[in-house]
Amino acid sequence: MAKDQDMTTGNPFKLILSFSSSMILGNIFQQLYTVVDSIIIGKKIGALGIASIGGTDWLIFLVTASLIGLIQGFSVLLGNKYGEKNEQAFYYYYKKAQTICIIISILLIPILLICLRPFLNLIGTLPEAFDYAYTYAAVIFAGIPFLIFYQFFAATLRSCGNSHIPLLAMTISSLCNIVLDLLFICIMHLGVAGAALGTILSECLVMIICGYHVLKIKSIKEKIGKNSYKEKHIFHKLISTGLPMAIQSIITAIGGLIVNRNVNMFGIDLLSGYTIGGKIYALLEIAASSYGMAIVAYVSQNYGAKKIDRIHSGVKSALLLGIVTALICSFIMIFFGESSMKLFVEADKTSPMAFSYGRQYLLIIGLFYPLLYTLYIVRAALQGIGNTLVPMISSAGQLLMRVLCATVMTKIIGYTGIFYGEISAWILADLILFVVYFYEIRNKEKAI
């Protein structure tokens, strides 16, 4: 594993900054092709096209984020074994996790395609947006095995401290996706189906590149066919670690779907503004998720090496990075929100009310954005030491606040209750996560 990064030694701040910087760049490229999809669809089809895809965002997130959460749970155990310097155990865990990914890939496609139309009806998809939404989501779900194995291979590399190969793969894939978007949408006129097809083909490319480099990891390359390591209940351990992280994402998605249904009730202008504003929100959230993944890798390795003091110093470094980054993002949202929205749609072909709704959404979110970055980092620290239950509980708290605000507060203050639901969710989750994090750290220090 010499080419990978040992995060149990060296300056925590520099390690986390270096690791997360590569991931931020990779995630920027990942979001780049999402943005290009949105811009091309917004320019070619109009606000209805981008709103239709936006209406499927939480449904697609429900599937993809739960899978990513499950796989991230696998990477926690892989990171532990890497930190222990136990190569045979690392390979054994990798092979069992790979088997789970194969089974899920086989079962999931028919289930998703059969359930798609009822789900779209359930979340209140507007009639004028239904065909676009169904077509886009159906193509994305047909390519779900590419997402599963791209995430699995990338997570395996990150568990070894290697964030550079996923960055390279995502860069190449994003450039490929832009070309495919232009080909499928602008030249072949495939519309939203072309946008979705470009996305899944690009994910296939990332899967191939990361998979090739996973096979070059020493413990995988040298132990194939001759691993004598055995451990009981390995599937149970993988599932029990990954499932709470998957459920955490499912809970978040359910809250998003309920909120999305309430957004639909306010009409197409709010849906358009909320969706376009959400694209900017997602771009500025990239660093938060990157810091979170860096902390999972850092903490899981140091927890495997029983270096609790390094865990706490690393989390403090990540919080410093996160808060500074969040303040920069807040500035962009508050002062450049509306001008950023105009990148996605033609101003003269879009209702002024859509811009008004989107601007207000970004202003409210921007004022409290450091809370979101804090949430990502502390939650990841708990996951890295193997506590995946409390992050799941915090997600349930977020769901509760989002639903209450979307269903109750909107009756009192109108549609802005939906926006304040996000802030309320962040506050509650941060309180839960911080209390448990400090409790866990004190207990781990006493145990050593």
Side-chain angles (χ1 to χ4, degrees):
M1 302 183 194
K3 293 183 180 180
D4 302 313
Q5 187 170 14
D6 184 353
M7 303 182 80
T8 61
T9 59
N11 183 285
F13 184 89
K14 291 180 180 178
L15 285 169
I16 293 168
L17 179 61
S18 172
F19 190 92
S20 60
S21 295
S22 297
M23 294 190 65
I24 289 170
L25 288 173
N27 286 331
I28 285 173
F29 280 107
Q30 182 178 19
Q31 284 292 330
L32 177 62
Y33 65 65
T34 302
V35 169
V36 170
D37 282 350
S38 300
I39 291 174
I40 294 176
I41 289 170
K43 300 291 185 181
K44 289 290 182 181
I45 301 175
L48 177 60
I50 198 170
S52 302
I53 292 177
T56 68
D57 280 349
W58 280 109
L59 180 58
I60 293 173
F61 178 87
L62 172 65
V63 177
T64 59
S66 60
L67 291 170
I68 292 169
L70 181 69
I71 291 166
Q72 193 171 0
F74 299 165
S75 75
V76 169
L77 295 176
L78 289 171
N80 289 163
K81 298 308 172 186
Y82 186 89
E84 293 171 6
K85 309 295 189 293
N86 190 337
E87 292 188 346
Q88 285 199 336
F90 180 91
Y91 172 69
Y92 188 75
Y93 273 70
Y94 165 80
K95 291 298 291 183
K96 299 302 181 183
Q98 184 185 62
T99 300
I100 295 172
C101 289
I102 292 171
I103 294 170
I104 293 173
S105 296
I106 293 171
L107 296 177
L108 207 52
I109 293 178
I111 294 172
L112 290 173
L113 294 179
I114 290 169
C115 296
L116 177 56
R117 192 173 292 274
F119 272 137
L120 290 174
N121 285 319
L122 183 64
I123 63 175
T125 304
L126 297 172
E128 60 266 41
F130 194 94
D131 288 342
Y132 284 145
Y134 179 83
T135 300
Y136 184 81
V139 177
I140 291 293
F141 288 158
I144 210 73
F146 299 145
L147 171 80
I148 290 172
F149 278 94
Y150 135 51
Q151 290 291 341
F152 175 59
F153 293 143
T156 301
L157 291 169
R158 287 194 297 267
S159 71
C160 302
N162 185 341
S163 61
H164 301 295
I165 295 303
L167 166 62
L168 175 64
M170 189 55 64
T171 303
I172 296 171
S173 171
S174 298
L175 296 174
C176 175
N177 187 254
I178 292 171
V179 173
L180 291 175
D181 272 347
L182 294 172
L183 173 64
F184 293 150
I185 300 173
C186 298
I187 298 176
M188 298 178 67
H189 305 291
L190 296 180
V192 294
L197 184 59
T199 297
I200 65 172
L201 291 177
S202 298
E203 288 173 346
C204 178
L205 181 59
V206 181
M207 177 192 72
I208 292 169
I209 295 172
C210 290
Y212 170 76
H213 285 277
V214 163
L215 292 177
K216 294 173 69 176
I217 296 174
K218 182 182 176 184
S219 59
I220 293 175
K221 182 179 180 180
E222 295 182 358
K223 300 295 188 298
I224 292 177
K226 55 181 181 181
N227 193 318
S228 60
Y229 181 87
K230 299 293 180 185
E231 184 176 330
K232 292 182 178 180
H233 311 301
I234 184 67
F235 284 113
H236 177 267
K237 187 176 288 188
L238 286 164
I239 294 296
S240 63
T241 303
L243 190 58
M245 298 175 75
I247 293 174
Q248 169 193 314
S249 298
I250 291 170
I251 292 170
T252 301
I254 290 172
L257 288 168
I258 294 171
V259 169
N260 199 75
R261 183 179 177 84
N262 280 269
V263 171
N264 284 333
M265 293 169 62
F266 284 95
I268 194 69
D269 284 340
L270 181 59
L271 177 60
S272 298
Y274 182 75
T275 299
I276 299 168
K279 298 295 181 184
I280 298 164
Y281 171 179
L283 277 173
L284 297 175
E285 193 181 9
I286 286 173
S289 61
S290 299
Y291 292 146
M293 290 183 181
I295 280 294
V296 167
Y298 174 88
V299 171
S300 64
Q301 284 194 26
N302 281 282
Y303 184 60
K306 296 182 172 26
K307 296 184 177 181
I308 306 302
D309 56 329
R310 281 183 59 81
I311 290 175
H312 193 48
S313 60
V315 170
K316 289 191 290 186
S317 297
L319 284 171
L320 175 62
L321 281 170
I323 291 171
V324 170
T325 307
L327 290 172
I328 296 170
C329 294
S330 294
F331 181 83
I332 294 170
M333 283 189 192
I334 293 168
F335 295 102
F336 298 99
E338 185 171 358
S339 57
S340 299
M341 290 174 65
K342 292 177 181 177
L343 294 173
F344 292 89
V345 291
E346 299 286 355
D348 57 348
K349 297 179 181 178
T350 304
S351 167
M353 286 304 299
F355 284 109
S356 176
Y357 289 137
R359 181 178 64 250
Q360 193 171 8
Y361 173 60
L362 291 172
L363 173 63
I364 291 171
I365 293 296
L367 290 173
F368 298 92
Y369 216 49
L371 294 172
L372 177 64
Y373 272 67
T374 300
L375 188 160
Y376 266 99
I377 291 164
V378 181
R379 182 175 65 194
L382 286 171
Q383 291 168 340
I385 60 176
N387 186 335
T388 55
L389 178 61
V390 170
M392 183 182 72
I393 293 171
S394 74
S395 292
Q398 288 181 265
L399 168 63
L400 175 64
M401 297 308 297
R402 286 193 179 101
V403 171
L404 281 175
C405 290
T407 57
V408 178
M409 192 178 290
T410 50
K411 291 179 171 57
I412 302 171
I413 63 173
Y415 64 88
T416 55
I418 294 170
F419 306 160
Y420 284 109
E422 286 291 314
I423 313 304
S424 303
W426 299 345
I427 292 171
L428 180 60
D430 279 339
L431 289 173
I432 294 170
L433 294 168
F434 263 113
V435 169
V436 177
Y437 168 74
F438 284 114
Y439 174 80
E440 287 278 13
I441 288 295
R442 282 199 299 269
N443 280 353
K444 302 300 182 189
E445 287 173 339
K446 290 177 183 178
I448 292 178

